[in-house]
Amino acid sequence: MSALALPAMRMTRKGFRTLTLTQARLLLREPAALVWLLLPPALVVVFGNIPAFTTDQKALDGRSVIDVYVPTIAAMVPLLVALTALPLTMASFREKDVLRRLAVSPVPAAGMLAALLAVIAAIAALGVALIIAIGALAFDVKAPADPASVTAAFVLGSGAVFALGLVVAALARTSGAASGAGVPLMVLNFFFSGLYFPVAEMPRALQRIGEYVPFGAVMAAWSGDGPLWRHLAVLAAYTVLGSLLAARVFRWE
């Protein structure tokens, strides 16, 4: 259980539920911040309608291009949400003095972050589910050979980037600062997740470095490159340490 969840548990269930609903309403007032979440499902639809992308290939061990890219595209959702929407939303709250008003309430800082995280994580989960559903139902994307390992890696990978996003959200005082810190982290994870070009084509040394970047570790776990426990341990470390750091450095103003 993350450090952010503990203060939330100390709050009454009704209080935390109210805080979470308040965060959801505040986020929905800025729907433009989430419009770009339509990009990953759109990519699946575009790729799925390219005949060459739906044909099994020997070079991909009998899988099609769309089989390979659906997991990578699914990874875009937590990355986009955790490293852009989350920090930008918190920075917007600071700029509009929303946090200053909450500061006079008995809400603990970690409880505030946990409520926002619950809303953002729910949005990410819905986005990932939509991509998987489109891939499976519309384009017959093959299921992974080891669903349990894939699920564990993806959940921990999402937790790791959310923890990084929480650190940025806790520190960034303006939207510009939030974007300046979150976007490079997002691009770094995109790079090592194989979005720009396949990880297998990278130099071996670069592949090893990528295993210590959250979604680089996720893709290494999915491909079976290296021991699974090491990749999961890296992701768990990001999640725990990032959550602790975010709770410690959070400031209302």
Side-chain angles (χ1 to χ4, degrees), residues 102-238:
L102 288 173
V104 299
S105 72
V107 178
M112 166 71 183
L113 291 176
L116 178 58
L117 179 61
V119 175
I120 296 288
I123 293 171
L126 288 173
V128 171
L130 177 61
I131 289 169
I132 292 174
I134 292 173
L137 298 177
F139 305 111
D140 196 28
V141 170
K142 296 180 179 65
D146 187 353
S149 296
V150 169
T151 301
F154 194 88
V155 170
L156 279 175
S158 298
V161 293
F162 271 111
L164 291 178
L166 283 170
V167 174
V168 177
L171 291 172
R173 297 186 178 185
T174 65
S175 298
S179 180
V183 171
L185 289 172
M186 181 180 68
V187 171
L188 180 68
N189 278 273
F190 279 165
F191 178 79
F192 284 110
S193 70
L195 183 63
Y196 303 129
F197 61 91
V199 174
E201 296 180 6
M202 296 180 184
R204 195 64 179 171
L206 202 57
Q207 292 182 39
R208 296 283 76 80
I209 292 172
E211 291 178 7
Y212 294 93
V213 174
F215 267 87
V218 170
M219 294 305 164
W222 285 0
S223 65
D225 187 8
L228 177 63
W229 68 264
R230 187 178 69 200
H231 304 317
L232 298 183
V234 167
L235 296 172
Y238 270 106

Side-chain angles (χ1 to χ4, degrees), residues 60-87:
L60 297 176
D61 298 325
R63 296 176 296 170
S64 66
V65 173
I66 191 69
D67 288 335
V68 174
Y69 266 95
V70 161
T72 300
I73 294 171
M76 291 178 65
V77 177
L79 287 171
L80 285 166
V81 172
L83 297 175
T84 57
L86 177 58

Side-chain angles (χ1 to χ4, degrees), residues 94 98-100 102-105 107-110 112 250-253:
R94 281 197 177 90
V98 173
L99 294 186
R100 181 177 296 179
L102 288 173
V104 299
S105 72
V107 178
M112 166 71 183
F250 178 81
R251 297 293 181 269
W252 293 103
E253 298 181 13

